[in-house]
Amino acid sequence: MLQLTGVTKRYGTLTALDDISLQIHSGEFFGLLGPNGAGKSTLMSLLAGLRSPDAGALTWNRQPLGPSSQVSRRILGLVPQHIALYEDLSAEQNLNVFGRLYGLRGDTLRTRVTEALQAVQLHERRRHRVSTFSGGMQRRLNLAAALLHQPALLLCDEPTVGVDPQSRNAIFELLQRLNREQGMTIIYSTHYMEEATRLC
């Protein structure tokens, strides 16, 4: 499904990724485990098509992935390391914005927004502004935004940083359910050994 061949990425004199090769199969829950600065977020940004590698290739079912790839936008959901939400909008309004960016409209959009809010246990807070949410609630809403278009591949870049134990467990349970019941392929980066052991 997903193949990386000899992927290298440099920032000036710093080599963030050095000749990385991986094969990730459909339905896999794959962990990227390493300390801060190990290159996990760099690899996620290459997979998401936000940056290009300096060498090597990334392909999805033999189709190239990268900044100019339309494949990336259709198949990928990205849960970034840093919260990417509009704080002055409600949870529901945020998901409507992201859903429209994915090309969702009308009844389909309304249904997907409701399902996503229920999945992350925020449906009762759907009309509340994001600025009133705890860090854990914002993380869960970020995850909901990545799921709206029902991606085949979900990229989770340290999604539990600064999250309370209850929200952390809710995120774990949702990701495990998506992988087990829907067969969603998930790539999960973390510097916590116990997270990788539990999930991947």
Side-chain angles (χ1 to χ4, degrees):
M1 174 180 273
L2 180 64
Q3 184 158 344
L4 286 69
T5 307
V7 171
T8 298
K9 182 65 180 176
R10 298 183 186 88
Y11 299 103
T13 58
L14 173 69
T15 301
L17 297 172
D18 188 10
D19 195 28
I20 302 292
S21 294
L22 292 172
Q23 283 189 335
I24 297 173
H25 301 283
S26 179
E28 197 166 347
F29 203 134
F30 188 88
L32 295 171
L33 177 66
N36 291 333
K40 301 184 302 294
S41 292
T42 295
L43 183 55
M44 288 292 200
S45 70
L46 296 179
L47 290 168
L50 301 176
R51 293 188 174 95
S52 298
D54 295 315
L58 299 89
T59 59
W60 171 270
N61 289 336
R62 299 186 180 143
Q63 298 181 62
L65 293 178
S68 61
S69 168
Q70 292 302 310
V71 176
S72 302
R73 291 169 178 79
R74 285 196 315 271
I75 60 143
L76 291 175
L78 173 64
V79 184
Q81 187 175 24
H82 302 288
I83 300 293
L85 298 168
Y86 297 100
E87 290 194 349
D88 291 336
L89 300 181
S90 70
E92 194 169 53
Q93 289 169 328
N94 264 277
L95 294 188
N96 277 315
V97 169
F98 286 106
R100 287 180 175 276
L101 291 173
Y102 288 125
L104 302 174
R105 300 285 186 274
D107 289 342
T108 301
L109 176 59
R110 282 187 288 277
T111 300
R112 297 274 182 88
V113 167
T114 298
E115 289 173 350
L117 286 168
Q118 289 171 340
V120 297
Q121 302 170 17
L122 289 173
H123 192 258
E124 291 182 3
R125 298 289 303 269
R126 65 189 179 278
R127 294 197 173 91
H128 294 208
R129 285 193 347 182
V130 169
S131 60
T132 67
F133 284 11
S134 68
M137 293 167 71
Q138 290 184 18
R139 290 270 175 204
R140 285 185 277 149
L141 187 60
N142 236 19
L143 176 55
L147 296 173
L148 287 170
H149 64 304
Q150 299 177 338
L153 174 61
L154 184 65
L155 306 176
C156 297
D157 191 8
E158 299 191 25
T160 61
V161 172
V163 168
D164 61 274
Q166 184 179 357
S167 288
R168 193 168 176 244
N169 280 329
I171 290 170
F172 288 167
E173 288 168 8
L174 175 58
L175 292 176
Q176 288 175 307
R177 191 165 66 248
L178 290 168
N179 176 252
R180 184 177 58 248
E181 296 175 9
Q182 297 181 22
M184 186 178 289
T185 305
I186 300 173
I187 300 178
Y188 187 98
S189 75
T190 182
H191 54 262
Y192 297 117
M193 180 69 80
E194 67 273 16
E195 287 191 358
T197 301
R198 174 175 173 173
L199 297 172
C200 307

